[in-house]
Amino acid sequence: MSGGRATAAPPGLSLLRLSGPLRFLLVSSFLIPLGSFMVLPFMSVFLHERLGMGLGSVGLVLAAASLVQFSGGVVGGALADRIGLRRTMVWALAVRTAGFVGLLAALRWPPLVVGALILTCCGAALYLPANKAYLVCGVDDERRPMFLSAGNAALNAGMAVGPLIAGPFVLSSPGWLFVASAALFLVVTAGHALLPVEEAPTGPMRGAAGEDSGKAACLPAGRGLLSGAAPLPFAANLLAFYLYFYFQHYLAVFAVERASSEFYSLVLLTCFVLVIVVQPLASGRIRRMPYRRALVVGFLALAAGMAVLSAGTRAALLLGGALITLGDIVLFLKNDLEALLRSPRSDAVVFGQQRLAAGLGACASGILGGQLYGVGLHAGETGWFWLAAAAQCLLLPPLLLAVRTAPGPRKPIDSRTKRKDES
């Protein structure tokens, strides 16, 4: 059975056959979050303790940054359609480099920090849709989970190592971290400028009519930013990121006050290792899993993890983080795969639309979460914050699953690949 072969040895062998540019792109997928995550996971602590911002204000800043970083992806996807994947990635990395230079300048003039943070998020918004589309351009539906998982594994490896490097220095010597991040982004930007113009990395490319052609599915479609969006994957992604970003935004403050910044880095490392190891191994199974079942499994794992975090012990931080990570492994990959399958738009535009949903969810989480966490902090008990998040993980998804949406037009599917997911 072809679906079974997709999850065994061939994924690793396929990666070994990647071209030099694609291997560079995977290395960059490690280096870029390495530089970013030496800084960004600690921004709530940095803004609160180093710059003296209140947690309500911190929540608003993080909400705005998240909205730009994720929702701006819809602009990034459209830009990639217009000027090409490689040029979009280069411009995005240049913008992000400027943002880290701005963070360095903000150490002398603190008001710059918000603008610099937003600038780094603008770069991320432009980069990721083009990056993902370049990686999977021309890959048939059966192998796309493996390619996306390889990119996610590299990304999470960088996200894991970054906080380990930065943890001891983020409050004492942030300037050196900003300098190192900016220098790393300069090097990666130069490498991207040398990439060839996008072409299919492996296998036949699907043209607009579903036949093999020399044109990728990432070419301009000439339609609005949101036209052709798949409603259920869009809404599910919005909800998943809304719930997950309670963890992403506020675990740092919660964990550092109960343990240390080093232990928080260990929790992040555990979560990232799970993504690196589990998602590639499970990608084939996630692809074949019925969509609604995947949503149920993912949201239940998020609920369990949030509830465990409320205990506040070191063991609870590790176990809760692991459960939440297992939930996002299923939800984030499955939502992307389902959106690619259900939407007739180019890959870059689909990834951008999914990033828009993610940004709306992360922004809502930042606004509401900051206020809720601030209330808990003033009351002297923040454990209930995670119980409130867990309750939402249980109560909100049934409303989503109760909505039945008519499937829209779909991308043509390779005749060798059969879809087994529920609509």
Side-chain angles (χ1 to χ4, degrees):
M1 185 170 144
S2 61
R5 289 196 299 270
T7 61
L13 297 176
S14 296
L15 289 176
L16 290 176
R17 292 196 298 268
L18 285 177
S19 65
L22 266 294
R23 286 197 295 270
F24 168 78
L25 206 62
L26 287 177
V27 172
S28 297
S29 294
F30 168 78
L31 294 177
I32 289 170
L34 171 67
S36 298
F37 270 67
M38 289 194 297
V39 176
L40 298 183
F42 299 99
M43 284 308 296
S44 60
V45 179
F46 179 77
L47 293 172
H48 179 55
E49 296 189 12
R50 180 73 183 239
L51 300 184
M53 293 179 64
L55 281 173
S57 298
V58 170
L60 291 175
V61 171
L62 294 178
S66 299
L67 180 63
V68 171
Q69 179 172 348
F70 289 95
S71 301
V74 73
V75 177
L79 181 65
D81 260 2
R82 182 171 296 275
I83 70 173
L85 302 179
R86 182 189 64 178
R87 291 178 64 190
T88 300
M89 289 189 287
V90 171
W91 278 108
L93 290 171
V95 169
R96 206 162 192 192
T97 303
F100 280 102
V101 173
L103 288 175
L104 179 63
L107 292 176
R108 291 188 174 273
W109 192 36
L112 279 177
V113 70
V114 175
L117 179 60
I118 296 298
L119 199 59
T120 65
C121 293
C122 286
L126 296 175
Y127 180 81
L128 195 59
N131 170 274
K132 284 188 170 184
Y134 196 105
L135 191 62
V136 303
C137 202
V139 178
D140 62 59
D141 294 313
E142 187 172 350
R143 292 183 298 162
R144 285 191 167 204
M146 182 267 291
F147 277 78
L148 287 174
S149 294
N152 288 341
L155 181 115
N156 279 272
M159 292 165 70
V161 176
L164 287 179
I165 296 174
F169 311 109
V170 67
L171 294 179
S172 60
S173 305
W176 289 108
L177 295 179
F178 298 155
V179 168
S181 295
L184 180 60
F185 273 93
L186 278 174
V187 173
V188 173
T189 303
H192 276 68
L194 300 176
L195 285 172
V197 175
E198 53 268 14
E199 57 182 342
T202 62
M205 305 188 74
R206 294 180 301 171
E211 60 221 9
D212 296 350
S213 71
K215 299 293 182 182
C218 48
L219 294 179
R223 286 179 279 180
L225 295 179
L226 289 178
S227 66
L232 184 55
F234 185 92
N237 218 40
L238 190 156
L239 181 58
F241 273 83
Y242 164 72
L243 295 170
Y244 173 74
F245 263 74
Y246 277 83
F247 172 75
Q248 183 74 18
H249 281 326
Y250 300 104
L251 181 65
V253 179
F254 187 74
V256 168
E257 70 181 8
R258 284 163 174 74
S260 65
S261 60
E262 290 81 7
F263 188 80
Y264 168 61
S265 298
L266 177 62
V267 174
L268 289 183
L269 175 64
T270 301
C271 296
F272 295 141
V273 167
L274 281 174
V275 176
I276 294 165
V277 174
V278 174
Q279 192 175 74
L281 294 175
S283 61
R285 185 180 297 274
I286 293 171
R287 180 185 71 85
R288 296 190 301 273
M289 186 183 296
Y291 186 36
R292 290 176 183 270
R293 184 186 304 166
L295 294 179
V296 170
V297 170
F299 285 121
L300 283 178
L302 290 184
M306 300 288 187
V308 170
L309 282 180
S310 67
T313 64
R314 294 193 171 206
L317 293 173
L318 284 170
L319 179 57
L323 288 169
I324 290 168
T325 301
L326 292 175
D328 82 59
I329 284 173
V330 175
L331 290 172
F332 297 165
L333 179 59
K334 188 63 175 180
N335 283 331
D336 275 355
L337 293 173
E338 198 71 13
L340 287 170
L341 195 59
R342 292 178 180 226
S343 173
R345 300 299 302 276
S346 73
D347 294 345
V349 169
V350 171
F351 286 127
Q353 290 170 343
Q354 289 298 99
R355 293 287 288 181
L356 172 61
L360 294 174
C363 179
S365 182
I367 293 173
L368 180 59
Q371 305 307 315
L372 289 176
Y373 200 93
V375 170
L377 192 62
H378 287 304
E381 176 53 58
T382 51
W384 72 269
F385 170 84
W386 301 106
L387 292 176
Q392 293 182 76
C393 293
L394 293 175
L395 296 176
L396 296 179
L399 299 178
L400 176 70
L401 294 173
V403 177
R404 294 185 175 272
T405 57
R410 302 168 185 248
K411 280 190 181 75
I413 301 175
D414 192 296
S415 60
R416 295 166 295 181
T417 306
K418 293 183 179 180
R419 182 175 183 271
K420 299 184 183 341
D421 299 334
E422 291 179 350
S423 60

